[in-house]
């Protein structure tokens, strides 16, 4: 492309002076008027448990979204897939007279599993409360939001899904409603899609896309997910990493053994697992699995330039996260996420703490998370790791070992590979990508943060491969939202700003 | 020493022909006459719950033992320690006119905690019943022993403490009574000590020993505990390993991070822990901590010879435990337990299985168990491991890291060291040790199994360090007694043979 990124940003800053004055006034007035109603609606929504595998409650979420949409004048339907057991996606569509473009908005309403014991004492992941700030930063728990109570945008809503990604559903629907209620015009046809299986790998999105290919056509799908840049600046993301999980179980003796009577005779599976994991990465953060970095597509000049302009927040992050040095000492966060990863999600063998006893455990487990970048194929990446494990002398099983396995092999490992998918990346200099950039820039005085690919994963390759459409991710929530973990929260101000951002995209000029 | 072990065994076998005929006749007659009474007494004893921490019932056990002793003509007293909250040890003493030696007999009356749900259906750990064999080997539950009912020595008594270690208390007191009732003479002064805190680490034995140092003097204390060798042969054990635990916590970011957004930038504590643990042992089972094996007192020629003569049960064990190869391929179990160990008792970081999520965990924990042999000092062994951890680039803390620690050090670890103690080993060729060996050998035609040290740990160093006496362990119960677990049981024949063994030691010639 010829137009440099700085010129695009320059153009968008010029527009800003016009459109913030027009749009922002309407929207800010709307939010001042309706913030209590929005809060009540959101608290109701967050009170419906949404763990992806909780099929009863997950359908209650879909029904709740459908009702919200109908209330806001969007005729909603459930897309149920062609096989049984599909969690429905909720779809809706608004035709705009004279529009030449169609923009789709996607968010997901399911959430990660919860371990309530790990949450702040006295809180429940599905009984949202207000907090003034995270407790570890001196915040306080203010209890549930009471209907009619004034809303303090500096506070946060605590609950599973509050940021990832019911915030997306909430902001998309309210951006549309705000435009309607403030009598503003749309520039494009608008489509809505809310998925309920994102946190389990969007296992049926494929099927739903194939079944409703025509219905889901758009010039660009906007994904409302992930956090805004650490700098707090509004952010556009043009790609995602792919992802695949591997669950490893290394086997020891058939029953837990007294570590005195059998110690240093019976082999210890926790040690074997530690040795195996240690063999996968060197002390400088380099993955030692053969060929791990081989298939990576190099960055384009535009992408390299965009990376160079992302504010480097590494020092702030290091301080906030209590990290002295990154895994690869010489590499910034934004550079790091343009590479494939191998992460240990969790480890477990027998007990630690007050439950620990002097035993040789029967097994040791780890879950690996492989993130993939453009060029990687998830099946091939998994094969590389399995080849590494075999080269370390393990007999690889896809089930518990039999008596015969135990007799024949000194090192037994079960490997379970979960559904994975590849990375996706949209060129940053496409005309539609530029239009969206300009629209978002119009809502803020600060330059946008433009990220060639996020560190996280979404199965966005499906939009390209099946629907043949472009995809851009527009994050709206605070970066310190604890998504996927305990004490997930969203800063209310970010929710309001997300509504403004989305409304601007709905009014984008092409 | 000059006299070879085989010659000692030879000598004892020669004696056997004499003494079995003399002693065994008396004792076997006694047992035929009194077996029903012994059973009734034992069932009553086992019916008093004896979990170490159950302070009310544990004192009922002490009182029951005191009454038994008084009934058998041994004046008993409670040793209460000097601090509050000490579970009393029960002490008694018999002076033998003309005796030149004093032999003490130790057993413990407390037991491990019970989870009644895990026991055979319909049984109660504290309502002893007879079983024909373990149910998993086709045995049947025969119900409680009925007073006066003939006793089948092939059957077993099921109940907590039946083997570990009320069997010890029972056998010691009845061996003495049998000698008295059959008018046999003792060769030594006899002391009796029954502890009530063994299963919680003998936390006050130290205190009781210091308080009653003179009273507890003996030439040798005989510990009646642990099972006979897997071969079923009568067994003498001359030592125990020492033990110390280390709890390690490696720190990652202050909050759990999304493995996509921060993966391969923020360091992963689970990987650091795996790398650290892997650095401690090579793939052939050798501990790589500098100086780990340095202080080990080499085995004496007698000990080496004894080890060589222990029946090798490794193939049976490998099959039973589902183990293809031991940690050190060329080393037998009995050789292994003569070395210090470094065992991983447990591992934990974030979650695995259905609770796993794509995060960089905040911490990773491991518990290490170090077993020690003669020559090791537990404090020094711990220091070696700490030095190893420091050499791997960790800043070692004894508390959670502060903000400053996190800023200053790339690798942070908390190390908590639990109360530890050293190994103890009695030379097998001491005259008193030989006298005891000969006495025990006189009760059986099969050669004894002589074990220089057991793999497990007991604080027997206290007998040497505080009382300045020798210690030998004489196990009497069947090896498949499920000690510390559900369905603990003792084979009645082993109980009778234990009485014979102890009576022979009481008559040992010095």
């Amino acid at each position: 492309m010829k137009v440099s990124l700085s010129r695009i940003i320059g153009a968008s800053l010029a527009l800003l002076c016009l459109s913030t004055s027009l749009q922002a006034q309407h929207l800010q007035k709307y939010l001042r008027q309706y913030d209590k109603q929005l809060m009540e609606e959101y608290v109701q929504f967050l009170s419906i448990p949404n763990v992806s595998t909780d099929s009863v409650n997950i359908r209650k979420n879909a029904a709740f979204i459908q009702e919200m949409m109908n209330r806001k004048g969007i005729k909603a339907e459930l897309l149920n897939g062609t096989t049984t057991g599909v969690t429905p996606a909720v779809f809706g569509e608004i035709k705009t007279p004279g529009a030449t473009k169609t923009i789709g908005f996607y968010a997901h309403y399911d959430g990660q599993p919860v371990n309530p014991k790990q949450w702040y004492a006295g809180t429940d992941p599905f009984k949202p409360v207000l907090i003034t700030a995270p407790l570890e930063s001196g915040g306080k728990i203010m209890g549930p939001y009471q209907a009619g109570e004034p809303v303090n945008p500096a506070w946060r809503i605590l609950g599973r899904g509050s940021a990832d990604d019911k915030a997306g559903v909430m902001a998309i629907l309210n951006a549309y409603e705000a435009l309607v209620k403030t009598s503003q015009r749309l520039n494009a046809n608008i489509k809505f899609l809310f998925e309920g299986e994102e946190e389990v790998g969007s296992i049926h999105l494929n099927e739903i896309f194939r079944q409703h290919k025509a219905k889901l056509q758009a010039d660009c799908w906007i994904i409302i997910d992930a956090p805004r840049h650490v700098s707090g600046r509004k952010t556009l993301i043009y790609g995602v990493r792919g992802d695949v999980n591997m669950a490893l179980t290394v086997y020891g003796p058939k029953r837990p053994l007294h570590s005195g009577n059998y110690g240093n005779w019976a082999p210890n599976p926790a040690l074997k697992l530690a040795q195996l994991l240690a063999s996968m990465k060197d002390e400088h953060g380099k993955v030692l699995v053969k060929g791990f970095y081989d298939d990576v597509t190099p960055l384009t000049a535009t992408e390299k330039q965009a990376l160079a302009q992302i504010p480097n927040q590494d020092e702030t992050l290091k301080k906030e996260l209590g990290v002295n040095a990154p895994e690869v000492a010489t590499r910034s966060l934004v550079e790091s996420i343009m590479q494939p990863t191998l992460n240990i999600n969790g480890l477990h063998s027998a007990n630690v703490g007050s439950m620990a006893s002097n035993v040789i455990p029967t097994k040791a487990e780890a879950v690996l998370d492989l993130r993939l970048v453009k060029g990687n194929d998830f099946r091939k990446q998994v094969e590389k790791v399995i080849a590494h494990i075999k080269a370390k002398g393990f007999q690889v099983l896809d089930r518990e070992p039999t008596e015969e396995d135990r007799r024949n092999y000194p090192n037994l490992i079960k490997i379970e590979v979960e559904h994975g998918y590849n990375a996706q990346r949209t060129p940053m200099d496409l005309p539609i990508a530029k239009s969206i950039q300009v629209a978002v820039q119009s809502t803020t005085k600060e330059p946008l943060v433009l990220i060639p690919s996020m560190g996280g994963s979404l199965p966005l390759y499906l939009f390209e491969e099946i629907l043949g459409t472009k995809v851009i991710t527009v994050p709206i929530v605070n970066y310190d939202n604890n998504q996927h973990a305990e004490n997930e929260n969203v800063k209310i101000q970010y929710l309001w700003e997300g509504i403004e951002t989305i409304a601007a995209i709905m009014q984008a000029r092409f």
Side-chain angles (χ1 to χ4, degrees), chain A:
Chain A
M1 80 157 194
K2 296 278 168 54
V3 185
S4 81
L5 200 77
S6 54
R7 283 186 57 194
I8 300 176
I9 293 176
S12 63
L13 283 171
L15 261 176
L16 179 72
C17 309
L18 291 175
S19 51
T20 37
S21 54
L22 270 169
Q23 257 199 345
Q25 281 173 18
H26 286 299
L27 265 164
Q28 279 157 21
K29 192 178 151 194
Y30 172 84
L31 286 171
R32 274 196 301 278
Q33 191 174 350
Y34 290 101
D35 61 350
K36 300 179 191 68
Q37 254 173 263
L38 290 178
M39 281 295 288
E40 282 169 48
E41 187 175 50
Y42 200 34
V43 164
Q44 278 180 45
F45 187 21
L46 293 176
S47 302
I48 312 169
N50 73 335
V51 177
S52 318
T53 49
D54 174 359
S55 58
V56 173
N57 278 309
I58 208 79
R59 279 159 199 275
K60 289 186 190 162
N61 280 280
F64 185 89
I65 295 170
Q66 214 178 355
E67 279 165 36
M68 271 202 290
M69 289 170 75
N70 292 337
R71 258 200 320 272
K72 294 177 199 303
I74 308 158
K75 193 162 167 282
E77 62 175 306
L78 298 182
L79 309 184
N80 287 299
T82 47
T83 56
T84 52
V86 178
T87 298
V90 192
F91 175 79
E93 185 174 5
I94 295 293
K95 298 237 156 119
T96 302
T100 58
K101 299 284 179 196
T102 300
I103 306 293
F105 290 86
Y106 162 100
H108 66 91
Y109 62 88
D110 63 321
Q112 284 273 325
V114 291
N115 183 347
K117 284 181 204 161
Q118 296 171 336
W119 287 58
Y120 295 144
T123 69
D124 177 323
F126 298 114
K127 289 183 183 157
V129 291
L130 294 169
I131 58 171
T132 60
L135 302 207
E136 47 287 12
S137 312
K140 283 182 188 168
I141 300 173
M142 307 304 287
Y145 176 73
Q146 307 293 343
E149 178 186 4
V151 179
N152 183 343
W155 289 4
R156 298 170 184 225
I157 308 169
L158 180 90
R160 172 59 83 230
S162 61
D164 179 22
D165 183 32
K166 286 185 172 178
V169 179
M170 167 78 181
I172 292 167
L173 294 179
N174 283 290
Y176 174 74
E177 189 173 23
L179 291 175
V180 171
K181 284 202 179 157
T182 58
S183 309
Q184 293 186 70
R185 71 178 288 275
L186 298 173
N187 272 339
N189 301 312
I190 306 290
K191 293 184 179 179
F192 303 87
L193 185 69
F194 303 118
E195 194 198 353
E197 299 183 324
E198 197 273 342
E199 298 294 2
V200 284
S202 295
I203 37 181
H204 298 103
L205 199 59
N206 179 320
E207 181 179 318
I208 290 171
F209 277 12
R210 288 182 206 284
Q211 194 189 1
H212 301 285
K213 202 170 159 177
K215 187 173 274 179
L216 296 170
Q217 277 309 312
D219 294 281
C220 189
W221 275 93
I222 304 294
I223 310 298
I224 309 292
D225 201 355
R228 274 159 59 171
H229 186 257
V230 184
S231 62
R233 280 155 57 178
K234 288 197 175 178
T235 306
L236 294 181
I237 304 169
Y238 296 86
V240 288
R241 289 203 274 196
D243 192 30
V244 62
N245 282 352
M246 300 176 73
L248 313 181
T249 308
V250 173
Y251 293 89
K254 276 162 71 180
R255 56 181 172 84
L257 297 180
H258 188 290
S259 66
N261 296 341
Y262 296 96
N264 63 3
W265 182 76
N268 186 313
L271 177 68
K272 286 186 182 184
L273 179 66
Q275 287 169 332
L276 177 61
L277 295 173
S279 76
M280 292 184 181
K281 225 173 196 179
D282 72 14
E283 284 172 22
H284 308 292
K286 190 183 165 196
V287 177
L288 299 173
V289 171
K290 201 175 163 189
F292 199 78
Y293 302 102
D294 278 0
D295 309 313
V296 175
T297 303
L299 298 176
T300 65
T302 316
E303 288 169 338
K304 279 185 188 163
Q305 204 181 342
L307 280 184
Q309 293 188 0
I310 298 173
N312 186 316
Q313 300 291 321
D314 291 11
E315 288 308 315
T316 313
L317 269 176
K318 277 159 67 177
K319 199 174 164 196
E320 188 212 319
L321 302 175
V323 164
N324 166 281
E327 200 173 81
V328 178
T330 55
R331 206 169 58 188
S332 70
L333 174 57
V334 291
E335 285 164 355
S336 291
I337 62 180
M338 302 309 295
Q339 294 293 323
T341 71
L342 187 151
N343 182 63
I344 304 173
N345 280 351
L347 279 183
H348 186 77
S349 185
N351 295 299
V352 298
S354 62
M355 296 292 286
S357 58
N358 287 332
V359 295
I360 299 166
T362 56
K363 61 181 179 175
E365 297 169 87
V367 176
L368 297 183
D369 175 44
L370 307 184
R371 299 279 170 174
L372 312 155
V373 297
K374 200 162 173 68
N376 290 141
D377 179 75
F378 78 91
R379 299 165 207 84
K380 200 172 161 192
Q381 206 73 346
V382 163
E383 281 310 320
K384 290 176 199 166
V385 175
I386 292 178
H388 178 92
I389 293 172
K390 285 181 178 169
K392 290 288 160 192
F394 282 87
Q395 179 68 15
V396 173
L397 308 173
D398 59 0
R399 45 157 179 79
E400 297 284 304
T402 61
E403 293 289 329
E404 205 184 334
D405 294 327
R406 289 179 168 278
R407 212 162 33 241
N408 292 340
Y409 305 105
N411 301 308
L412 292 168
I413 191 169
K414 179 173 71 175
I415 302 183
E416 294 160 293
V417 179
E418 288 174 35
H419 177 81
Y421 54 79
N422 292 342
Q424 179 277 329
R425 221 141 80 205
T426 297
M428 301 170 71
D429 35 20
L430 288 182
I432 196 151
K434 286 188 212 161
S435 296
I436 287 161
Q437 186 190 331
V438 169
V440 176
Q441 185 65 75
S442 75
T443 65
T444 171
K445 285 178 185 161
E446 298 241 52
L448 303 182
V449 176
L450 305 176
I451 299 175
S453 174
M454 69 165 86
S457 303
L458 292 167
L460 300 189
Y461 76 99
L462 292 173
F463 288 87
E464 276 189 358
E465 281 188 16
I466 305 178
L467 303 179
T469 68
K470 300 300 163 195
V471 206
I472 295 174
T473 298
V474 181
I476 60 169
V477 298
N478 43 300
Y479 82 98
D480 58 344
N481 66 63
N482 276 27
Q483 68 185 84
H484 289 204
E486 60 273 20
N487 304 321
E488 181 179 346
N489 67 82
V490 68
K491 215 167 177 174
I492 297 168
Q493 180 63 33
Y494 277 67
L495 212 48
W496 295 173
E497 290 176 11
I499 293 173
E500 291 181 85
T501 301
I502 295 165
I505 299 172
M506 289 178 176
Q507 295 189 295
R509 292 161 200 200
F510 302 100

